[in-house]
Amino acid sequence: MNNSEATKENLYVITNHKFPSDSYGEDDYLGNWPMLYILENGDKVYIGESTNVAERMKQHYNNKEKREFNKVHFIYSGRFNQSVTFDYESKLIQFVSADGKYTITNKNDGIANKNYFSKPEYDETFEALWNKLRSYNLAEHTLEYIKNSEFYKYSPFKELNKDQKILADDIIREIREGKELPIVVEGRPGTGKTIVAVYLMKYLRDYEDEKTHRFPFREKKMGLIIPQTSLRSTLKSLFKKIEGLAAKDVIGASEAVKAGEWDILFVDEAQKLQVRRSIVGYQAYDNNNKKLGLPSDATELDWILKISKTPVFFFDPDQLSGPSGTTIEVFQNKVKMELSRRRRMTAYLTHFLRMQMRVKGGEEYINYVNDILHNVDVPRKTFDDYDFKIFTHFADFNKELYVKEKDMELCRMLAGYAWEWKTKNDKTAYDIEIEGVKKRWNHCLNNWINSDGALDEVGCIHTSAGYDLNHAFVILGNDIKYDDEKGRIYVDRSNYFDKRGKQSASDEELDLYIKNIYYVLMTRGIRGTYLYVCDEKLRNYFMKYVEEF
């Protein structure tokens, strides 16, 4: 630690005490100074702030829920004011929950990201406080590690932006009114659909009615449906560490059917709800339809509409990537039919999330990528805060992956399904070879992004959808090409190796699916997206729009 870092850490004093105690010391600041505190028992923590921590401890001990704690850690600084302690309280709740060392018992209704005088200076010194907490064994991982983690991204304590907060408040109001109607949210990649769903699960579990002081949603049967197996596993692990939530709350559509009727079901990536087409496990699918008394061609969307009083769907039609998914037309028709069955209005209100959270290039970059893939002639653009480049040599592309990973971590190579999966049966083989460089497909599906060995592999759509990367290195394979004479991008069925993805798809549908897959892959990167294009004509087309590395 250099002198500057040591000076920053000395800004903070952390004291440790038994809880409860008749006395926490004689220091004046205990009764009249803005401070932070952490209650803990070795397994769980509660984080708070107060201008009179000694009195606040008495109040906590009179609360039955706080009597499970046996230690308290006070955090003091002569530079604290109440704006700072409010801000730091929110930060600590977010980072401690994502750190995973403790189960956090706070509610998420007070998380805020408000500006105040000299906030950038306090943002800079927060890391010194965090490092001091680590030295006291009150935290485990570095802030950099946590910020790159999926636990931090999906934490129910994440600060919502203005767009998300308005949406969350609208949905909470609709649910509290007890209308028992489907609620629909549309949002493009990176607008935080999953984050809002997780936030709402936690908020409703903790919601206390101000008049009755009861918790009306604690006894309600609520669940979060995550169609992607990989992301489902990640969120199960997260929910284990959040008071009021549990791994069993995160489920697939079939699990929801087995569990019977639900009061509220949040459905992430609803376009991935399956129809009876090109799926795995037809018998199990048909058994669910029989159990629910539905026709043989009923869909997973039908299941959820039938078993849930209030289903909340998060939907993005542009991320439909295969014939087993739900199109916007099917979705809209079935929701309208359900409203009619419930004898309600035949039209429904769709909420929208528009503010971009993931991609630093913003919605302008998202639109640009979509336009390029769909042959929309747009002016060439560059993005001040986003690194969008194309490579002409695969060896350079591959080398830069390791450079970027060393620099910032969480960089991965992704590709469309344009190569056979040879290593599924032969672990010694290679799946992908480009310009003499050999690569293998992802060795696992669950949380591949964060698994050992992922840096040396290539991830597919099934392992990367829903995840964030700092830089995404995207290979456009020979399943997508360019026709010089017609001046258009087209897909090559013979070079697309997802058998279920194409066996029942028409040429028009496959064209949409493959372009959507690359759209999703090219919107995974927070700070940048690098491209390597296999088809030379398509590469030349892309170079009209993308700067060469």
Side-chain angles (χ1 to χ4, degrees):
M1 182 185 302
N2 60 40
N3 290 334
S4 176
E5 290 171 335
T7 300
K8 287 180 181 178
E9 284 208 20
N10 289 333
L11 291 172
Y12 306 105
V13 175
I14 301 177
T15 60
N16 310 307
H17 305 273
K18 180 183 176 182
F19 176 81
S21 177
D22 293 332
S23 174
Y24 296 101
E26 301 299 325
D27 297 299
D28 290 341
Y29 58 70
L30 292 169
N32 188 23
W33 195 260
M35 289 174 61
L36 298 159
Y37 61 87
I38 300 174
L39 288 163
E40 57 110 343
N41 60 12
D43 180 42
K44 297 181 179 181
V45 297
Y46 177 86
I47 296 167
E49 65 82 36
S50 177
T51 55
N52 188 335
V53 292
E55 183 62 30
R56 188 71 173 132
M57 292 308 104
K58 294 177 184 178
Q59 295 170 357
H60 278 322
Y61 188 64
N62 290 327
N63 182 333
K64 290 181 181 179
E65 292 183 355
K66 300 297 188 296
R67 291 184 184 177
E68 65 179 320
F69 300 110
N70 54 31
K71 296 177 186 176
V72 62
H73 309 274
F74 295 136
I75 303 171
Y76 164 80
S77 173
R79 297 178 72 247
F80 276 168
N81 58 58
Q82 203 160 15
S83 293
V84 178
T85 53
F86 278 138
D87 181 31
Y88 274 27
E89 178 192 34
S90 292
K91 283 183 167 66
L92 285 176
I93 290 170
Q94 291 179 70
F95 285 111
V96 170
S97 68
D99 182 54
K101 183 176 177 64
Y102 295 98
T103 297
I104 195 158
T105 62
N106 289 74
K107 297 179 181 181
N108 67 344
D109 56 351
I111 302 298
N113 182 19
K114 296 181 180 177
N115 207 354
Y116 55 88
F117 181 71
S118 296
K119 185 177 186 297
E121 295 177 27
Y122 286 103
D123 286 342
E124 185 180 337
T125 57
F126 177 78
E127 186 171 5
L129 171 58
W130 183 260
N131 289 336
K132 194 152 191 172
L133 291 174
R134 291 179 67 208
S135 71
Y136 277 71
N137 207 31
L138 290 170
E140 185 172 351
H141 297 103
T142 65
L143 288 183
E144 184 178 10
Y145 176 92
I146 293 171
K147 287 176 181 178
N148 281 334
S149 73
E150 296 304 314
F151 280 12
Y152 179 70
K153 175 188 173 182
Y154 293 117
S155 169
F157 301 101
K158 199 78 186 285
E159 294 169 344
L160 300 185
N161 62 35
K162 182 179 178 181
D163 197 23
Q164 294 168 332
K165 188 68 170 65
I166 291 171
L167 169 68
D169 289 344
D170 286 345
I171 293 175
I172 289 164
R173 185 186 67 253
E174 290 178 38
I175 290 174
R176 285 178 56 195
E177 288 173 354
K179 294 178 179 178
E180 297 187 352
L181 292 171
I183 297 170
V184 179
V185 179
E186 280 193 30
R188 303 183 81 178
T191 52
K193 299 182 293 297
T194 311
I195 291 170
V196 173
V198 172
Y199 172 90
L200 289 169
M201 281 282 293
K202 171 65 175 168
Y203 181 93
L204 290 172
R205 280 276 185 249
D206 292 337
Y207 174 74
E208 181 178 5
D209 188 282
E210 293 180 358
K211 295 180 180 178
T212 65
H213 296 290
R214 293 180 178 178
F215 298 88
F217 295 100
R218 285 198 178 170
E219 302 306 317
K220 297 284 187 182
K221 191 174 177 182
M222 290 195 300
L224 173 60
I225 291 181
I226 303 290
Q228 310 101 294
T229 305
S230 175
L231 185 56
R232 195 185 312 154
S233 176
T234 298
L235 291 179
K236 279 180 177 289
S237 297
L238 171 65
F239 275 35
K240 288 179 184 177
K241 286 291 185 180
I242 306 295
E243 185 88 346
L245 301 179
K248 64 181 178 61
D249 296 333
V250 185
I251 53 177
S254 191
E255 291 174 277
V257 172
K258 290 177 184 176
E261 294 188 354
W262 296 77
D263 293 298
I264 304 169
L265 277 177
F266 296 97
V267 185
D268 189 41
E269 303 290 0
Q271 73 278 357
K272 294 184 182 295
L273 292 174
Q274 292 187 328
V275 301
R276 196 184 185 281
R277 183 184 179 194
S278 301
I279 62 172
V280 178
Y282 280 97
Q283 184 173 350
Y285 189 99
D286 292 341
N287 288 341
N288 281 332
N289 278 334
K290 289 177 183 177
K291 180 178 180 178
L292 296 174
L294 294 170
S296 60
D297 63 346
T299 69
E300 289 185 346
L301 174 58
D302 290 308
W303 303 354
I304 292 163
L305 289 169
K306 181 155 188 176
I307 64 178
S308 177
K309 294 176 183 176
T310 305
V312 184
F313 299 102
F314 295 84
F315 196 91
D316 182 0
D318 289 338
Q319 293 195 58
L320 181 68
S321 59
S324 63
T326 299
T327 65
I328 186 66
E329 293 79 16
V330 168
F331 181 83
Q332 290 174 339
N333 288 337
K334 287 188 178 294
V335 173
K336 287 177 182 177
M337 287 172 59
E338 179 62 18
L339 288 169
S340 178
R341 188 185 71 80
R342 298 188 190 194
R343 297 181 180 179
R344 306 296 180 90
M345 68 287 239
T346 54
Y348 63 89
L349 176 65
T350 299
H351 303 271
F352 291 93
L353 275 174
R354 293 188 172 88
M355 192 177 296
Q356 182 58 226
M357 279 187 66
R358 176 193 299 132
V359 180
K360 288 185 178 294
E363 191 170 359
E364 185 180 13
Y365 169 79
I366 301 289
N367 290 333
Y368 190 56
V369 165
N370 207 28
D371 286 343
I372 294 171
L373 286 168
H374 290 88
N375 291 105
V376 177
D377 190 16
V378 291
R380 181 178 178 130
K381 295 180 182 179
T382 57
F383 305 90
D384 292 338
D385 296 323
Y386 200 73
D387 198 11
F388 189 36
K389 303 282 176 60
I390 188 168
F391 285 71
T392 55
H393 297 289
F394 190 77
D396 295 336
F397 179 75
N398 187 54
K399 182 180 178 181
E400 188 63 23
L401 168 67
Y402 294 92
V403 173
K404 280 288 184 284
E405 175 67 16
K406 185 177 181 180
D407 181 41
M408 63 185 63
E409 300 183 343
L410 202 61
C411 299
R412 299 290 182 268
M413 192 175 290
L414 312 173
Y417 207 162
W419 291 268
E420 292 184 80
W421 188 9
K422 299 174 185 175
T423 52
K424 183 178 183 180
N425 300 313
D426 181 3
K427 302 302 180 186
T428 65
Y430 288 89
D431 302 295
I432 300 167
E433 182 174 354
I434 303 173
E435 297 177 2
V437 180
K438 297 179 179 180
K439 290 282 185 178
R440 294 187 173 104
W441 280 120
N442 45 265
H443 69 280
C444 65
L445 289 176
N446 288 345
N447 201 19
W448 169 77
I449 293 286
N450 299 297
S451 68
D452 291 339
L455 178 62
D456 300 318
E457 298 173 339
V458 179
C460 66
I461 183 69
H462 305 301
T463 56
S464 54
Y467 286 88
D468 289 352
L469 298 170
N470 281 324
H471 268 71
F473 285 69
V474 181
I475 308 170
L476 284 80
N478 281 315
D479 56 342
I480 185 167
K481 296 181 176 180
Y482 189 76
D483 186 326
D484 271 340
E485 293 183 4
K486 295 183 178 179
R488 66 175 183 87
I489 295 175
Y490 69 98
V491 302
D492 184 344
R493 181 183 288 266
S494 66
N495 281 307
Y496 185 62
F497 292 94
D498 186 346
K499 293 178 181 177
R500 289 192 180 87
K502 69 177 181 179
Q503 64 186 11
S504 64
S506 66
D507 288 344
E508 183 180 359
E509 288 173 327
L510 194 63
D511 182 89
L512 173 67
Y513 301 151
I514 291 177
K515 287 177 181 176
N516 281 356
I517 286 169
Y518 284 113
Y519 167 73
V520 172
L521 297 181
M522 291 167 67
T523 53
R524 297 304 93 196
I526 297 169
R527 302 182 185 185
T529 298
Y530 288 164
L531 305 178
Y532 178 83
V533 184
C534 292
D535 179 67
E536 186 178 355
K537 291 180 180 179
L538 182 62
R539 187 187 312 149
N540 292 335
Y541 166 79
F542 263 86
M543 289 179 74
K544 293 194 302 182
Y545 300 101
V546 187
E547 184 180 353
E548 185 177 350
F549 184 86

